Amino acid sequence: MMMSIIQRSIYFSTMAMTLLLVIILNDATVNAQITNLQVGDEICAEGFVLDTFCIERTTLLDNPSVFSLEQPELHSVHC
């Protein structure tokens, strides 16, 4: 069954508001966590170490056949 123009408008407005709310709440949560940090606190970070040099050259310096943003897990820390 086809949605009317009003139904589509309400649907897309609701989706946009939901997305906006998720972005705002996520940002508020991240900012709250950052502002509660104190000197000497232990933190844990996850992800891949990738320098801007290798990102800008688009391939890894020590493995030029690998595109830096496609396989960042292959980047060496000593690069």
Side-chain angles (χ1 to χ4, degrees):
M1 184 168 83
M2 302 240 343
M3 290 194 297
S4 70
I5 293 174
I6 294 172
Q7 288 173 320
R8 278 187 275 169
S9 177
I10 292 171
Y11 174 78
F12 287 115
S13 295
T14 303
M15 293 302 289
M17 291 301 280
T18 302
L19 180 61
L20 182 61
L21 183 60
V22 167
I23 291 169
I24 290 170
L25 290 176
N26 186 40
D27 188 49
T29 302
V30 169
N31 285 336
Q33 292 171 351
I34 291 173
T35 57
N36 291 333
L37 287 176
Q38 300 292 321
V39 173
D41 285 352
E42 291 185 27
I43 60 169
C44 179
E46 295 180 8
F48 302 110
V49 176
L50 193 60
D51 56 276
T52 55
F53 179 77
C54 284
I55 293 172
E56 290 171 354
R57 72 185 305 266
T58 69
T59 61
L60 302 180
L61 182 63
D62 56 351
N63 194 350
S65 65
V66 177
F67 290 103
S68 54
L69 295 179
E70 289 180 5
Q71 294 179 299
E73 71 276 9
L74 298 178
H75 186 258
S76 60
V77 178
H78 67 274
C79 175

